Amino acid sequence: MGTSFAGMNWKEFWDESDYFTSPDPVTGDRIRETEHLLGYKLPQSYLELIQSRNGGSPVNSCFPTDTPTSWAEDHVAVSGICGIGGTWGIDSEDFGSRFMIEEWGYPDIGIVVCECPSAGHDAIMLDYSECGREGEPRVIHVDVETDGEPRRTFLAEDFESFIRGLVNEEEYDDSEETLQADLEKTAGAKFSGILEELSKRTALHPDMEFAIRHICTKLVRSKGYFALHADDLSYLMYDIQFAMYTELYAVNSKQQYLGAYPDILTFGAPFSTGGYAEGFVAEWYEKRLEQGHIDAGDGQLAFTPEYRQTLSQRLTAEF
């Protein structure tokens, strides 16, 4: 398999989750295509890693830092290492490195190689700015949620050193503090302007603010923190936001709604998740469309009357 990572036990390295794993085989042709597409020679250590598994989440998901970052005072966290191909591959048209650079404002100095829990607002990059496109890149953390240029933090001299330097999140366990802070948030933090408007004007439930806070509190207790993913409670919140928004505003395309979505519950208010992965929302939308619950009649997107009634009845029964 190569000469890097001597003694590495890959079975213990990867988490059981396959969310970031690509089903595509890692072949020589695919590697060359990816290098041509991105314009950089991929490190040998990276190629050896994705031959053990083509992307995924590591068991040890934290990397220590000497300086504070947007994530924490003394470390950064990694939610997924991107492979080649599939939804999350570095060559993905929808969520790959070029997309992150061109659409999210990451510096055009290399390859976005790891996702962070903020779902796009910070990431791990291979930095070729000093070694050139054929050299051995450094590994850096990049935060694009700044007032000016993205903030770069040096992590490791090469990719192998970065992988070997990952430590378990238990070394930085602040789960109880996070849980309590997020429970306080869902119980009483102020809604965004748009969420407040939607919750007051919707006919979906007589006390929509109470229902939203109750659902989000249950979600925080189940996860330990406030975030929407692909579980039942998250899908319920996706349903509620879409139902309320399309009740007041005309939506004529999936992309239009995905553009409006972050302002509702993601950013701009104390009551927010503080980040999101568009892929989860897009997958929810496609699932509801496939199930026949979203109607595009007259060029406007909305839930069918039947599904809206089902949703309203669920909320009334539970809250």
Side-chain angles (χ1 to χ4, degrees):
M1 183 179 291
T3 58
S4 302
F5 297 117
M8 179 71 78
N9 186 335
W10 293 117
K11 290 183 179 180
E12 295 180 357
F13 177 81
W14 294 108
D15 183 81
E16 292 181 358
S17 170
D18 61 357
Y19 184 75
F20 288 97
T21 304
S22 170
D24 297 357
V26 180
T27 64
D29 286 342
R30 189 58 184 271
I31 291 169
R32 286 187 288 273
E33 290 173 4
T34 301
E35 290 179 330
H36 178 74
L37 174 68
L38 300 181
Y40 297 96
K41 181 176 177 59
L42 295 170
Q44 180 61 32
S45 55
Y46 170 78
L47 297 178
E48 291 181 26
L49 177 136
I50 64 172
Q51 286 166 15
S52 74
R53 181 173 175 179
N54 193 3
S57 299
V59 171
N60 294 330
S61 58
C62 296
F63 192 90
T65 61
D66 294 328
T67 57
T69 67
S70 57
W71 177 254
E73 290 292 314
D74 53 4
H75 71 284
V76 295
V78 175
S79 55
I81 302 172
C82 304
I84 293 175
T87 301
W88 299 104
I90 58 175
D91 55 338
S92 167
E93 182 177 346
D94 294 325
F95 299 108
S97 183
R98 292 310 309 171
F99 171 83
M100 299 294 282
I101 290 170
E102 294 169 3
E103 299 295 329
W104 281 78
Y106 282 85
D108 196 1
I109 57 171
I111 299 171
V112 178
V113 72
C114 298
E115 295 284 331
C116 292
S118 67
H121 301 278
D122 66 325
I124 309 300
M125 291 191 70
L126 300 177
D127 176 10
Y128 290 78
S129 59
E130 293 185 0
C131 66
R133 293 178 178 271
E134 298 289 322
E136 184 72 28
R138 305 185 311 164
V139 180
I140 62 173
H141 172 263
V142 180
D143 176 16
V144 295
E145 286 297 302
T146 64
D147 293 333
E149 291 295 314
R151 179 182 178 185
R152 310 179 195 183
T153 302
F154 170 81
L155 299 180
E157 289 291 348
D158 53 64
F159 186 72
E160 180 180 357
S161 299
F162 170 73
I163 293 299
R164 288 190 180 277
L166 291 170
V167 299
N168 198 271
E169 64 181 355
E170 290 182 357
E171 296 197 21
Y172 306 101
D173 186 13
D174 61 352
S175 55
E176 185 60 31
E177 291 86 348
T178 299
L179 173 62
Q180 292 306 317
D182 282 356
L183 285 175
E184 292 178 10
K185 178 189 296 185
T186 55
K190 183 176 176 57
F191 282 4
S192 67
I194 181 65
L195 182 57
E196 183 176 4
E197 177 191 23
L198 296 177
S199 62
K200 286 182 176 179
R201 297 179 62 183
T202 184
L204 197 62
H205 186 272
D207 191 347
M208 198 68 242
E209 179 177 346
F210 169 79
I212 290 172
R213 291 189 185 280
H214 193 86
I215 294 166
C216 290
T217 296
K218 287 177 64 176
L219 189 148
V220 169
R221 290 193 181 279
S222 69
K223 293 178 181 291
Y225 55 91
F226 192 15
L228 304 187
H229 294 128
D231 52 277
D232 181 63
L233 288 175
S234 295
Y235 267 50
L236 178 56
M237 281 306 305
Y238 295 143
D239 282 349
I240 288 170
Q241 291 175 84
F242 182 78
M244 293 193 304
Y245 191 85
T246 54
E247 193 175 355
L248 295 185
Y249 297 97
V251 176
N252 54 37
S253 71
K254 168 186 171 182
Q255 285 307 122
Q256 180 189 345
Y257 180 67
L258 291 180
Y261 173 85
D263 293 332
I264 303 173
L265 187 62
T266 304
F267 305 119
F271 187 91
S272 66
T273 56
Y276 82 117
E278 185 176 296
F280 284 122
V281 189
E283 287 174 8
W284 159 83
Y285 178 90
E286 293 298 335
K287 183 174 182 179
R288 291 294 186 252
L289 190 65
E290 181 181 346
Q291 292 170 332
H293 297 326
I294 293 179
D295 178 34
D298 299 324
Q300 302 296 321
L301 298 178
F303 280 138
T304 64
E306 294 79 11
Y307 190 72
R308 184 179 173 83
Q309 182 179 13
T310 298
L311 178 60
S312 180
Q313 289 173 343
R314 178 180 177 181
L315 292 174
T316 301
E318 291 193 26
F319 314 110

